[in-house]
Structures are given as C-alpha cells and as structure tokens.
Amino acid sequence: MKRKKQIVRNIILIALTALLFLWQGGYHLTPERVFRSAEKAEWLGPAAEVMEIGSWDDGCLCLVALEQKGFYTVSAKPCLGIFWKYTNEHWNGYFPVEGQTRGWIWEEMIFGQTKEPDAAEVVCVVEGWKGQENGWQEVGRYTIPVGENGFFSMVLDSSIPRSKDRTMKEIICKNAAGEVIAVNKQ
C-alpha cells in the first residue's frame, strides 16, 4: 500500500509542477486568455469584446479590443500543441483614435476605427516610399467594410511585398449607398 501512495503522490506533484510551469511560462489554452493576460499586464481593459483580425504567415494570430478612445492589439502564437503564448514577434500596442477616423498599415494588415455613424465601408489609400523617385507615391486603394462598432480590418494579399516604408495617406468613408461622407487625411 505504501508504494501506491508514493505513486499517487508523485503523479500529483508532477501535475502540479507542470501546471506551475505552464502558468509561469505564460501558456494559455485559448488566444483570448493570452489577450486577457496581456491587457492585465499593460493595465488596459477589461474590454467587452475581443476580436480576431487575422493571422500572419508564421501562425501568429492578431487580436484586438476596442475602447472609447482607441483600440489595442495583441499577438498570440500557438505552441506546444494545444497552448497559446503571447509573442512580440509582431508589434502590438495601443492605437489612439483622436479624430473621427484613423487607420494604420502594419506589416500585411490594414486596420482602424471610424466614429462616422453612417459609415458602411472605407477606402484606405496607402502610399509607399519610392527610392528611385525619391518621394511618396500611392501604391494601393483598399475597400474595407466597417463593422457595427466602427472597426475595420483587412489582411493584405501575400502577393503584395511586405515593406516598412508604407503609410496610410487618407481614409475615405462611404455610406451604404456608396456616397462619400468623409475624407480623413492621415
């Protein structure tokens, strides 16, 4: 009987040690738990809603939560089979929306928020640095639907080369009829 008690005790100790390792290592069972942990660490939130806006080629998932004055993003990466972990391989942070509409281009994602009540879609005009011409030139226009909460996002096609030399020139807000209701220069 003594041997069986030792085996049970050792199994319990191994399980507790594994749980402590996972807890201290920042491993979570869902990407949303990663987000909640990160927002506590950054003294943000708690957000009422967490949305997934896309994933990168390396498997990292981008999550976002809205606030009254902006939104913040967190990246979660799958690891050890069933767990997720916070990653800083992709820049995360708080994005303030001071005006009516604000947008960013980040690696291969475009995202932003509008406070225009009638906005059904936005057209994001992206410009890039052209070294040959030594100036900024328009590289694309992307039409993105706007959610009920005013948030919009889009993952760019993988055929578009990734560049850090891109920026949002302007955002054109349109209503459901396709009429321009606002133009916001960045």
Side-chain angles (χ1 to χ4, degrees), residues 69-89:
K69 297 183 180 181
F71 57 93
Y72 48 97
T73 62
V74 171
S75 293
K77 186 173 190 170
C79 57
L80 298 178
I82 63 169
F83 296 105
W84 292 83
K85 188 170 182 166
Y86 173 79
T87 179
N88 59 1
E89 294 173 18

Side-chain angles (χ1 to χ4, degrees), residues 110-138:
I110 295 176
F111 55 91
Q113 188 177 13
T114 182
K115 295 177 183 169
E116 298 287 345
D118 297 331
E121 67 179 24
V122 294
V123 177
C124 297
V125 180
V126 177
E127 61 182 5
W129 180 258
K130 299 290 184 178
Q132 300 87 355
E133 291 83 21
N134 199 23
W136 293 93
Q137 291 184 344
E138 185 177 316

Side-chain angles (χ1 to χ4, degrees), residues 30-164:
T30 64
E32 185 173 346
R33 292 302 314 149
V34 172
F35 187 90
R36 297 298 182 192
S37 176
E39 79 179 345
K40 282 181 188 175
E42 296 294 327
W43 294 53
L44 295 167
E49 179 184 12
V50 177
M51 299 177 297
E52 176 185 327
I53 62 170
S55 61
W56 286 273
D57 295 337
D58 62 357
C60 287
L61 198 62
C62 183
L63 303 164
V64 66
L66 303 175
E67 282 190 340
Q68 284 184 323
K69 297 183 180 181
F71 57 93
Y72 48 97
T73 62
V74 171
S75 293
K77 186 173 190 170
C79 57
L80 298 178
I82 63 169
F83 296 105
W84 292 83
K85 188 170 182 166
Y86 173 79
T87 179
N88 59 1
E89 294 173 18
H90 306 282
W91 189 79
N92 304 294
Y94 184 77
F95 297 89
V97 180
E98 289 130 1
Q100 280 296 98
T101 303
R102 188 80 195 269
W104 289 265
I105 184 164
W106 171 30
E107 295 183 18
E108 66 258 13
M109 288 188 193
I110 295 176
F111 55 91
Q113 188 177 13
T114 182
K115 295 177 183 169
E116 298 287 345
D118 297 331
E121 67 179 24
V122 294
V123 177
C124 297
V125 180
V126 177
E127 61 182 5
W129 180 258
K130 299 290 184 178
Q132 300 87 355
E133 291 83 21
N134 199 23
W136 293 93
Q137 291 184 344
E138 185 177 316
V139 294
R141 288 178 175 257
Y142 304 98
T143 302
I144 307 169
V146 175
E148 291 178 10
N149 52 14
F151 187 78
F152 56 90
S153 67
M154 174 185 185
V155 178
L156 295 175
D157 187 8
S158 60
S159 65
I160 299 169
R162 291 174 71 179
S163 172
K164 301 235 186 253

